[in-house]
Protein backbone atom coordinates (compact mmCIF):
# COMPACT_ATOMS: atom_id res chain seq x y z
CA UNK A 1 0.00 0.00 0.00
CA UNK A 2 2.95 2.32 -0.09
CA UNK A 3 2.29 5.36 -2.25
CA UNK A 4 -1.34 4.29 -2.67
CA UNK A 5 -4.16 6.12 -0.98
CA UNK A 6 -5.12 4.73 2.41
CA UNK A 7 -8.29 2.67 2.21
CA UNK A 8 -11.42 4.56 3.15
CA UNK A 9 -14.83 2.94 3.50
CA UNK A 10 -17.59 4.45 1.40
CA UNK A 11 -20.30 1.87 2.13
CA UNK A 12 -20.62 -1.37 4.06
CA UNK A 13 -23.22 -4.12 3.90
CA UNK A 14 -23.31 -7.03 6.34
CA UNK A 15 -23.92 -10.35 4.59
CA UNK A 16 -24.64 -13.78 6.02
CA UNK A 17 -21.93 -15.74 7.75
CA UNK A 18 -20.00 -12.80 9.27
CA UNK A 19 -19.08 -11.44 5.85
CA UNK A 20 -19.04 -7.77 4.88
CA UNK A 21 -19.33 -6.25 1.45
CA UNK A 22 -17.25 -3.08 1.52
CA UNK A 23 -17.13 -0.37 -1.13
CA UNK A 24 -13.91 1.63 -0.90
CA UNK A 25 -13.48 5.24 -1.89
CA UNK A 26 -10.54 4.55 -4.23
CA UNK A 27 -10.19 0.76 -4.26
CA UNK A 28 -13.39 -0.74 -5.70
CA UNK A 29 -15.41 -3.28 -3.75
CA UNK A 30 -14.54 -6.37 -1.70
CA UNK A 31 -16.13 -9.01 0.43
CA UNK A 32 -14.34 -9.76 3.69
CA UNK A 33 -15.01 -12.86 5.76
CA UNK A 34 -14.46 -11.98 9.42
CA UNK A 35 -15.51 -15.34 10.88
CA UNK A 36 -11.97 -16.32 11.91
CA UNK A 37 -11.28 -13.01 13.63
CA UNK A 38 -14.69 -13.00 15.34
CA UNK A 39 -14.28 -16.61 16.53
CA UNK A 40 -10.88 -15.95 18.10
CA UNK A 41 -11.03 -12.28 19.10
CA UNK A 42 -12.32 -11.55 22.58
CA UNK A 43 -12.94 -7.90 21.71
CA UNK A 44 -15.15 -9.03 18.81
CA UNK A 45 -17.20 -11.56 20.82
CA UNK A 46 -20.40 -9.50 20.54
CA UNK A 47 -20.22 -9.84 16.74
CA UNK A 48 -20.91 -13.57 17.09
CA UNK A 49 -24.54 -12.55 17.55
CA UNK A 50 -26.12 -12.16 14.08
CA UNK A 51 -28.27 -9.23 15.25
CA UNK A 52 -25.18 -7.30 16.38
CA UNK A 53 -23.16 -8.19 13.25
CA UNK A 54 -26.07 -6.86 11.16
CA UNK A 55 -25.57 -3.38 12.66
CA UNK A 56 -22.35 -2.83 10.68
CA UNK A 57 -22.03 0.72 9.39
CA UNK A 58 -19.38 3.10 8.09
CA UNK A 59 -17.45 4.52 11.02
CA UNK A 60 -16.31 8.08 11.50
CA UNK A 61 -15.07 9.58 8.22
CA UNK A 62 -14.84 6.10 6.66
CA UNK A 63 -11.69 5.13 8.56
CA UNK A 64 -13.46 2.26 10.33
CA UNK A 65 -16.42 -0.07 10.17
CA UNK A 66 -18.42 0.20 13.39
CA UNK A 67 -21.06 -1.92 15.11
CA UNK A 68 -23.41 -1.39 18.00
CA UNK A 69 -21.70 -1.99 21.32
CA UNK A 70 -18.64 0.17 20.54
CA UNK A 71 -16.91 -2.36 18.29
CA UNK A 72 -14.84 -0.97 15.41
CA UNK A 73 -12.37 -2.37 12.91
CA UNK A 74 -9.84 -0.22 11.13
CA UNK A 75 -10.27 0.24 7.36
CA UNK A 76 -6.62 -0.66 6.72
CA UNK A 77 -7.04 -3.95 8.61
CA UNK A 78 -10.18 -4.76 6.61
CA UNK A 79 -8.49 -3.85 3.33
CA UNK A 80 -5.55 -6.15 4.13
CA UNK A 81 -7.91 -8.99 5.04
CA UNK A 82 -9.66 -8.53 1.70
CA UNK A 83 -6.35 -8.68 -0.19
CA UNK A 84 -5.26 -11.81 1.70
CA UNK A 85 -8.58 -13.55 1.13
CA UNK A 86 -8.52 -12.68 -2.59
CA UNK A 87 -4.96 -14.10 -2.85
CA UNK A 88 -3.69 -10.70 -3.96
CA UNK A 89 -1.17 -10.36 -1.12
CA UNK A 90 0.86 -12.55 1.20
CA UNK A 91 0.45 -12.47 4.96
CA UNK A 92 3.72 -11.64 6.76
CA UNK A 93 3.98 -15.17 8.16
CA UNK A 94 3.54 -16.64 4.66
CA UNK A 95 6.34 -14.43 3.35
CA UNK A 96 8.64 -15.47 6.24
CA UNK A 97 7.79 -19.13 5.57
CA UNK A 98 8.57 -18.73 1.87
CA UNK A 99 11.99 -17.28 2.70
CA UNK A 100 12.70 -20.00 5.27
CA UNK A 101 11.58 -22.76 2.89
CA UNK A 102 14.25 -21.62 0.43
CA UNK A 103 16.90 -21.08 3.11
CA UNK A 104 17.31 -17.43 2.15
CA UNK A 105 18.59 -14.71 4.42
CA UNK A 106 16.72 -11.43 4.26
CA UNK A 107 19.49 -9.99 2.07
CA UNK A 108 19.41 -12.97 -0.34
CA UNK A 109 15.60 -12.85 -0.51
CA UNK A 110 15.78 -9.15 -1.35
CA UNK A 111 18.30 -9.86 -4.10
CA UNK A 112 16.23 -12.74 -5.49
CA UNK A 113 13.07 -10.62 -5.60
CA UNK A 114 14.69 -7.43 -6.82
CA UNK A 115 13.72 -5.39 -3.77
CA UNK A 116 15.60 -3.74 -0.93
CA UNK A 117 16.48 -5.50 2.28
CA UNK A 118 14.47 -2.86 4.09
CA UNK A 119 11.32 -3.92 2.18
CA UNK A 120 11.89 -7.55 3.15
CA UNK A 121 12.00 -6.45 6.80
CA UNK A 122 8.85 -4.33 6.37
CA UNK A 123 7.00 -7.23 4.76
CA UNK A 124 8.06 -9.67 7.45
CA UNK A 125 7.14 -7.43 10.37
CA UNK A 126 3.78 -6.57 8.78
CA UNK A 127 4.33 -2.82 8.64
CA UNK A 128 3.87 -3.01 4.84
CA UNK A 129 1.53 -5.32 3.01
CA UNK A 130 3.27 -7.84 0.74
CA UNK A 131 1.78 -6.83 -2.64
CA UNK A 132 0.62 -9.06 -5.46
CA UNK A 133 3.77 -8.29 -7.48
CA UNK A 134 5.94 -9.80 -4.73
CA UNK A 135 3.54 -12.74 -4.32
CA UNK A 136 3.97 -13.43 -8.05
CA UNK A 137 7.74 -12.99 -7.81
CA UNK A 138 7.80 -15.60 -5.02
CA UNK A 139 5.78 -18.01 -7.18
CA UNK A 140 8.15 -17.37 -10.08
CA UNK A 141 11.14 -18.07 -7.83
CA UNK A 142 9.44 -21.30 -6.72
CA UNK A 143 8.85 -22.36 -10.34
CA UNK A 144 12.42 -21.60 -11.41
CA UNK A 145 13.90 -23.51 -8.51
CA UNK A 146 11.51 -26.44 -8.95
CA UNK A 147 12.73 -26.73 -12.58
CA UNK A 148 16.35 -26.61 -11.42
CA UNK A 149 15.76 -29.36 -8.86
CA UNK A 150 14.12 -31.64 -11.41
Amino acid sequence: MSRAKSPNVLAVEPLSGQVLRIRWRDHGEDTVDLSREIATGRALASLRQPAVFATARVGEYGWTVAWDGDVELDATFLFRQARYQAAEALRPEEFRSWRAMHGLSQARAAEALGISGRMVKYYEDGSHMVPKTILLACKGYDALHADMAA
Side-chain angles (χ1 to χ4, degrees), residues 4 7 15 26 36 38 46 53 64 98-99 106 109 111 114 119:
L15 305 174
D26 296 308
R36 187 178 99 185
I38 291 170
S46 66
F53 188 80
T64 66
W98 172 85
R99 185 172 64 78
Q106 287 183 335
E111 183 180 313
M119 288 311 298

Side-chain angles (χ1 to χ4, degrees), residues 43-56:
L44 303 177
S46 66
L47 300 182
R48 294 177 194 143
Q49 301 171 38
V52 176
F53 188 80
T55 66

Side-chain angles (χ1 to χ4, degrees), residues 14-20 34-35 37-39 41-56 66-69 71:
L15 305 174
S16 63
Q18 300 173 329
V19 175
L20 296 176
L34 295 173
S35 58
E37 290 76 13
I38 291 170
R42 292 175 58 184
L44 303 177
S46 66
L47 300 182
R48 294 177 194 143
Q49 301 171 38
V52 176
F53 188 80
T55 66
W67 288 267
D68 289 354
V71 176

Side-chain angles (χ1 to χ4, degrees), residues 46-119:
S46 66
L47 300 182
R48 294 177 194 143
Q49 301 171 38
V52 176
F53 188 80
T55 66
R57 64 187 178 282
V58 177
E60 194 169 333
Y61 303 110
W63 298 120
T64 66
V65 169
W67 288 267
D68 289 354
D70 292 329
V71 176
E72 287 185 280
L73 287 174
D74 179 74
T76 299
F77 170 79
L78 293 167
F79 185 76
R80 284 183 180 209
Q81 293 306 310
R83 301 285 65 76
Y84 299 149
Q85 292 172 15
E88 293 179 2
L90 285 174
R91 295 176 188 273
E93 60 273 14
E94 294 169 328
F95 185 70
R96 284 190 300 271
S97 293
W98 172 85
R99 185 172 64 78
M101 177 180 70
H102 290 288
L104 298 171
S105 66
Q106 287 183 335
R108 298 284 288 157
E111 183 180 313
L113 298 172
I115 59 177
S116 71
R118 179 177 294 180
M119 288 311 298

